[in-house]
Amino acid sequence: MKLSRVVVSAPGKIILHGEHAVVYGKAAIAVSIGLRTTVVLQRHKNESKVSLLLKDLDYILTWDLTDIQKILVAVPQVSRTDTVLPSDEMLSLIDKLIDSSKFVEVEGVKDAARVFLFLMTSTLRDRDRLPAIEVEVKTALPLGAGLGSSAAYSISLAAAMLLSMQTIPLPKYVKKTPESETTAKDTDSYQYDDIETESLRLVCQWAFEAEKIMHGQPSGIDNSIATYGGALLFQNGEITHLESMPLLSILLIDTQIPRSTRVMVAGVRDRYIEFPTVYMSLFEAVDGICHECIKIFSKIHNLKNEDVPKSEFVRYYQRLESLVDVNQQLLSLFGVSHPSLDSLCHMTSKYGLHTKLTGAGGGGCAITLIPPGTDKDKVAELMNKLQKEFKYKVWQTPLGSRGVIVHEAIPVDRS
Amino acid sequence: MKLSRVVVSAPGKIILHGEHAVVYGKAAIAVSIGLRTTVVLQRHKNESKVSLLLKDLDYILTWDLTDIQKILVAVPQVSRTDTVLPSDEMLSLIDKLIDSSKFVEVEGVKDAARVFLFLMTSTLRDRDRLPAIEVEVKTALPLGAGLGSSAAYSISLAAAMLLSMQTIPLPKYVKKTPESETTAKDTDSYQYDDIETESLRLVCQWAFEAEKIMHGQPSGIDNSIATYGGALLFQNGEITHLESMPLLSILLIDTQIPRSTRVMVAGVRDRYIEFPTVYMSLFEAVDGICHECIKIFSKIHNLKNEDVPKSEFVRYYQRLESLVDVNQQLLSLFGVSHPSLDSLCHMTSKYGLHTKLTGAGGGGCAITLIPPGTDKDKVAELMNKLQKEFKYKVWQTPLGSRGVIVHEAIPVDRS
């Protein structure tokens, strides 16, 4: 290890448009949000131990380093620019170690441990040795809510490990520009610049392999957003980064109504099978919504530096709101809304705001667009109402936040 | 005139699916209903007078026969199988006569008079003479509600006139079959058979010319349904008669909320212009609904004579109901629903029934499917509620009723 301590974070994501239709080969737009997962990787005080502190799950997992080193027999040595496909033998050794640790069967803990052990044994190897480390994970993201919390975890974990070994170079420490996004922790006037593109590609790939362990066949959306931030268009397995994400914030509302993505997707499929031509056209309409949305994004982007009247901006944001309404109505038509989501849309409309469910639907999360210039008091009142009266979790967060970023990095010789 | 008295009726229609999308070249299904317009054409008691009794408008228009005969200079003689395109001269003579009659400007009265004078001078001519006639018009259809009342008027008027001159032959007087549709007036065990196809074609064409006088560019849907009854598919100006309309009745609900078709169509166009790809896909979905509906019609039709379990019929009717729901949601998405229509749909759903607006929307009429086997008491309770609590006009009527039919015909020599 070349760093004795490194702090990295990566953002979660929302689906702005295209949930469900994406299953039928149509476009979807995913956008990063300000809610992030932070990983602190440092040397363990006990040189024979490895600990994973899952703060939000209130779990501390500790292993003997020697036990983890036993997995290395099944881990291929790779070059600094490659990733490892975990072999069955490797996964089975990892699982054996986890099972022998007698973890309580808490959803997420086992998955987090598997990803951790996979990434640690693959990326922190120095010949036949692994370092004694302590990794602390904290997230602002609700877990299992379709907001990409697991990708944010895998990405920040992979980035921290690759940085600590200097498999990827530490970005420059630069003076903040006035436009720099600030997070609670970045109170300095300096910050780490973006990780260079080639390194990001490697981080993304490692996390994608890790995501496979958790999700079987991930789409690649979540790890891409957690890596690069911003917005992306996903269609037929192909990911295109959108360059012109405009200034936009949302209310992210977690109704906490439990729902199953699998059941929701199956319900839409039933409808599609009953009336294929009807539903394929409706999916096509969702595809149209995505492309209209992208067009408006780049129009706002192109206007930005021009001397245009405010009313023109307002008009474009209104069009974004119209698309949100149409998409919500279509999702309702797909049978994936929920009475609570319907009344949420209705309620926010009384505040002149536009809301749609995001993700699988049937409960879960919704987003309310907050265009620039929206009355702050009105937003605060709405947030308060949602939290107090409805017991929903609500965050106001920008869209298109930075991808994975380094917050701290302390070289070994300075520790 | 070969008949001294002839009584003819023609049905109104509803749009089952496809309103608004039809404007963009997509399919629409129109179906005849049991509400009819009846025309009684007979000799006038005063041989120098012509009277048009518009019972529902509470208007009696009377002209001197000699005044009407003056129009004949502008009316071309046509063969028995042709129609007349009204020339500007002819229309201007008709309008002059109407204006000199000093009718109060009641909506519909002037149009009814124009159509009457156009058809009379064109079809009742015998060399340079016209007969002194009295025509009484009564309808069960609400006027100007998008239910084809004007086409039912033109068709029954044209048929009565062409029959009275024996330009088209009187159909046979035949014994009723058990399946014969009975109307209040047909209490006999005999009835007139359908008018022969070639004659229907001529009636339809005359009425179409008359409709042009009223509506400028009629689609041809209303006069086709009023002529042939049953159901038709309309797409890009082409009309296909559907052979397999299943047994189905509806509640026809007139909310009497005033709306303008022009404004509704313009509103949809605004949305289409804003997001063309989105809305064209939605119109395409409506097209899909029409074609899925037709498939289900022919499946029910094909099952009819087979020994199939009742549950299979039920299943097909449920699918028809699903299409009604999807279409209503799309119409709502087009912005042509109305809070009253929304709550009407919601209310009927509590009775297990499925409702959509029909026609232009924004008020006007809605239809609720009443599949075979629906509990009669439930339907009666709902109808009562709609009439008493909401002051809506409600009719239960079969779909796919007969087209234009003859009820009575008394030859001159028997009068």
Side-chain angles (χ1 to χ4, degrees):
Chain A
M1 290 228 301
K2 311 284 165 61
L3 299 179
S4 64
R5 178 183 161 90
V6 57
V7 182
V8 168
S9 76
K13 67 109 209 334
I14 50 120
I15 300 291
L16 185 59
H17 290 296
E19 47 274 276
H20 288 290
V22 74
V23 176
Y24 300 84
K26 307 304 174 192
I29 299 173
V31 191
S32 62
I33 54 179
L35 279 60
R36 307 178 72 88
T37 295
T38 305
V39 159
V40 181
L41 186 158
Q42 55 196 349
R43 284 188 170 176
H44 207 291
K45 282 162 203 155
N46 183 334
E47 292 223 336
S48 66
K49 296 288 180 185
V50 168
S51 292
L52 175 63
L53 288 69
L54 301 167
K55 290 282 188 183
D56 302 278
L57 295 169
D58 217 7
Y59 253 79
I60 299 178
L61 315 181
T62 298
W63 296 275
D64 285 335
L65 182 57
T66 50
D67 286 340
I68 297 179
Q69 290 201 145
K70 285 177 191 152
I71 298 167
L72 289 180
V73 295
V75 180
Q77 293 269 12
V78 284
S79 81
R80 297 168 65 91
T81 56
D82 266 353
T83 52
V84 161
L85 281 171
S87 66
D88 289 346
E89 191 194 352
M90 183 174 172
L91 288 178
S92 122
L93 286 173
I94 288 174
D95 282 346
K96 224 153 102 185
L97 178 58
I98 292 172
D99 290 342
S100 72
S101 322
K102 295 198 177 36
F103 296 147
V104 181
E105 285 285 351
V106 170
E107 209 184 319
V109 173
K110 237 176 141 168
D111 275 340
R114 296 175 100 201
V115 164
F116 174 79
L117 292 172
F118 161 66
L119 288 176
M120 175 176 182
T121 54
S122 305
T123 67
L124 294 189
R125 181 180 199 163
D126 185 4
R127 301 188 186 220
D128 287 329
R129 304 248 334 129
L130 289 169
I133 55 166
E134 183 192 88
V135 169
E136 186 186 294
V137 184
K138 273 203 277 193
T139 187
L141 288 160
L143 306 178
L147 300 176
S149 60
S150 75
Y153 167 69
S154 304
I155 288 292
S156 34
L157 202 55
M161 289 178 175
L162 294 169
L163 284 164
S164 76
M165 297 296 281
Q166 291 194 1
T167 308
I168 62 173
L170 200 62
K172 287 199 186 86
Y173 203 55
V174 294
K175 206 170 167 61
K176 278 185 189 173
T177 59
E179 292 87 36
S180 292
E181 206 176 295
T182 51
T183 67
K185 287 194 175 174
D186 294 335
T187 46
D188 293 344
S189 56
Y190 279 78
Q191 66 178 10
Y192 282 97
D193 205 356
D194 291 334
I195 297 171
E196 55 158 53
T197 312
E198 202 45 41
S199 301
L200 287 178
R201 199 195 51 76
L202 191 66
V203 169
C204 193
Q205 216 173 314
W206 272 112
F208 190 61
E209 295 305 334
E211 286 274 282
K212 281 185 195 163
I213 297 176
M214 284 197 273
H215 298 301
Q217 282 194 306
S219 65
I221 295 177
D222 290 10
N223 55 304
S224 292
I225 285 288
T227 305
Y228 302 100
L232 63 77
L233 174 71
F234 178 85
Q235 188 152 23
N236 282 320
E238 212 170 291
I239 288 170
T240 316
H241 283 271
L242 302 173
E243 300 300 331
S244 49
M245 182 70 208
L247 190 66
L248 192 57
S249 89
I250 56 162
L251 291 189
L252 175 64
I253 302 151
D254 186 359
T255 65
Q256 296 173 278
I257 294 160
R259 86 282 180 261
S260 151
T261 300
R262 199 184 50 75
V263 170
M264 289 295 122
V265 169
V268 176
R269 180 155 298 273
D270 287 346
R271 286 167 188 250
Y272 166 69
I273 288 169
E274 183 161 28
F275 300 122
T277 54
V278 177
Y279 279 86
M280 197 47 94
S281 297
L282 297 179
F283 299 148
E284 193 61 38
V286 174
D287 190 276
I289 288 171
C290 290
H291 289 101
E292 296 280 0
C293 180
I294 293 168
K295 271 194 257 171
I296 299 169
F297 280 179
S298 55
K299 275 180 182 156
I300 295 175
H301 188 78
N302 293 339
L303 284 182
K304 213 165 61 184
N305 300 316
E306 287 173 35
D307 190 21
V308 288
K310 195 172 159 253
S311 64
E312 198 153 337
F313 279 104
V314 170
R315 178 79 194 101
Y316 282 120
Y317 282 106
Q318 281 170 345
R319 296 188 64 195
L320 289 179
E321 294 180 320
S322 297
L323 291 176
V324 163
D325 290 341
V326 174
N327 199 351
Q328 171 61 23
Q329 286 179 276
L330 283 171
L331 288 162
S332 171
L333 227 163
F334 299 165
V336 300
S337 193
H338 183 278
S340 298
L341 292 167
D342 294 340
S343 55
L344 182 60
C345 295
H346 185 68
M347 199 224 300
T348 58
S349 77
K350 286 184 182 165
Y351 287 78
L353 298 170
H354 300 254
T355 302
K356 70 177 273 292
L357 67 88
T358 181
C365 291
I367 54 172
T368 303
L369 292 196
I370 309 290
T374 306
D375 178 8
K376 281 193 176 71
D377 292 342
K378 190 170 73 175
V379 176
E381 186 192 320
L382 173 59
M383 286 183 75
N384 192 50
K385 192 182 174 77
L386 292 169
Q387 284 161 334
K388 296 274 162 64
E389 281 182 39
F390 295 87
K391 310 292 174 204
Y392 294 157
K393 286 193 177 167
V394 189
W395 302 264
Q396 181 167 7
T397 173
L399 288 186
S401 311
R402 287 176 77 188
V404 61
I405 45 179
V406 182
H407 299 280
E408 267 185 76
I410 302 174
V412 169
D413 44 28
R414 270 211 278 146
S415 65
Chain B
M1 291 229 300
K2 308 287 165 58
L3 299 178
S4 63
R5 177 181 161 90
V6 57
V7 182
V8 169
S9 79
K13 68 107 207 336
I14 52 121
I15 299 291
L16 184 58
H17 290 297
E19 47 273 277
H20 288 291
V22 72
V23 176
Y24 301 85
K26 306 304 175 192
I29 299 173
V31 191
S32 62
I33 54 178
L35 279 61
R36 308 179 72 88
T37 295
T38 305
V39 159
V40 181
L41 184 159
Q42 56 196 348
R43 284 186 168 177
H44 207 292
K45 279 163 205 154
N46 183 333
E47 293 223 335
S48 65
K49 295 288 180 184
V50 168
S51 293
L52 174 64
L53 287 68
L54 300 168
K55 289 284 186 180
D56 302 277
L57 295 171
D58 218 7
Y59 253 78
I60 298 178
L61 315 180
T62 299
W63 295 275
D64 286 333
L65 181 57
T66 48
D67 286 338
I68 298 179
Q69 291 203 142
K70 283 177 192 151
I71 299 166
L72 288 182
V73 295
V75 182
Q77 292 271 10
V78 283
S79 82
R80 296 168 67 92
T81 55
D82 266 355
T83 52
V84 161
L85 283 171
S87 64
D88 288 348
E89 190 194 352
M90 184 175 172
L91 288 177
S92 119
L93 286 173
I94 287 173
D95 281 346
K96 222 152 105 187
L97 178 56
I98 291 173
D99 289 342
S100 72
S101 319
K102 297 198 175 37
F103 296 148
V104 180
E105 283 285 349
V106 171
E107 209 184 318
V109 172
K110 234 175 145 168
D111 275 339
R114 294 176 102 201
V115 164
F116 174 79
L117 292 173
F118 160 65
L119 288 175
M120 175 175 181
T121 52
S122 304
T123 68
L124 294 187
R125 178 180 199 163
D126 186 5
R127 298 180 189 229
D128 287 329
R129 304 252 329 132
L130 289 169
I133 56 166
E134 182 194 88
V135 169
E136 185 187 294
V137 185
K138 272 202 278 195
T139 187
L141 289 160
L143 305 178
L147 299 176
S149 60
S150 75
Y153 166 69
S154 303
I155 288 291
S156 34
L157 202 55
M161 288 178 175
L162 293 169
L163 283 164
S164 75
M165 295 298 280
Q166 290 193 3
T167 308
I168 62 173
L170 199 61
K172 285 202 186 84
Y173 203 55
V174 295
K175 207 171 167 63
K176 278 184 189 172
T177 59
E179 292 86 39
S180 290
E181 206 177 293
T182 51
T183 66
K185 287 195 173 172
D186 294 335
T187 45
D188 293 344
S189 55
Y190 279 80
Q191 67 179 9
Y192 282 98
D193 204 356
D194 290 334
I195 296 170
E196 55 159 50
T197 312
E198 200 44 40
S199 302
L200 286 178
R201 198 195 52 74
L202 191 66
V203 170
C204 192
Q205 216 173 315
W206 273 111
F208 190 62
E209 296 305 335
E211 286 274 281
K212 282 186 197 163
I213 296 177
M214 283 196 275
H215 298 300
Q217 282 193 306
S219 65
I221 294 177
D222 290 11
N223 55 305
S224 291
I225 285 289
T227 305
Y228 301 99
L232 63 77
L233 174 70
F234 178 85
Q235 188 151 25
N236 281 321
E238 212 171 289
I239 288 170
T240 317
H241 283 271
L242 303 173
E243 299 301 331
S244 50
M245 182 69 207
L247 190 68
L248 192 58
S249 89
I250 56 163
L251 290 189
L252 175 65
I253 302 152
D254 186 358
T255 66
Q256 296 174 276
I257 294 160
R259 86 280 181 261
S260 150
T261 300
R262 198 184 51 74
V263 170
M264 289 294 122
V265 169
V268 176
R269 180 156 299 273
D270 286 347
R271 286 167 187 250
Y272 167 70
I273 288 168
E274 184 160 30
F275 300 122
T277 54
V278 177
Y279 279 86
M280 197 47 95
S281 296
L282 297 178
F283 300 147
E284 194 60 39
V286 174
D287 190 277
I289 289 171
C290 290
H291 288 101
E292 295 280 359
C293 180
I294 293 168
K295 271 195 253 172
I296 299 169
F297 279 179
S298 55
K299 274 179 184 156
I300 296 175
H301 189 78
N302 293 338
L303 284 181
K304 213 165 63 183
N305 300 316
E306 286 172 37
D307 190 18
V308 288
K310 193 170 159 255
S311 63
E312 197 152 340
F313 278 104
V314 170
R315 178 79 194 101
Y316 281 120
Y317 282 106
Q318 281 169 345
R319 297 187 64 197
L320 289 179
E321 293 180 321
S322 298
L323 291 177
V324 164
D325 289 343
V326 175
N327 199 351
Q328 172 60 25
Q329 285 177 276
L330 284 172
L331 288 162
S332 170
L333 227 162
F334 299 165
V336 299
S337 193
H338 183 277
S340 299
L341 292 167
D342 294 341
S343 56
L344 181 61
C345 294
H346 186 68
M347 199 225 299
T348 59
S349 77
K350 287 186 181 165
Y351 287 77
L353 298 171
H354 301 255
T355 302
K356 70 179 274 292
L357 68 86
T358 182
C365 290
I367 54 172
T368 303
L369 291 195
I370 309 291
T374 306
D375 179 7
K376 282 194 175 69
D377 292 343
K378 191 171 73 176
V379 175
E381 187 192 318
L382 173 59
M383 285 184 75
N384 191 50
K385 193 182 173 78
L386 293 169
Q387 284 161 333
K388 296 274 162 64
E389 281 182 38
F390 294 85
K391 310 292 175 207
Y392 293 158
K393 285 193 178 168
V394 189
W395 302 263
Q396 181 166 7
T397 171
L399 288 186
S401 311
R402 288 175 76 189
V404 60
I405 45 179
V406 181
H407 298 281
E408 266 185 76
I410 301 173
V412 169
D413 43 30
R414 272 213 277 146
S415 66

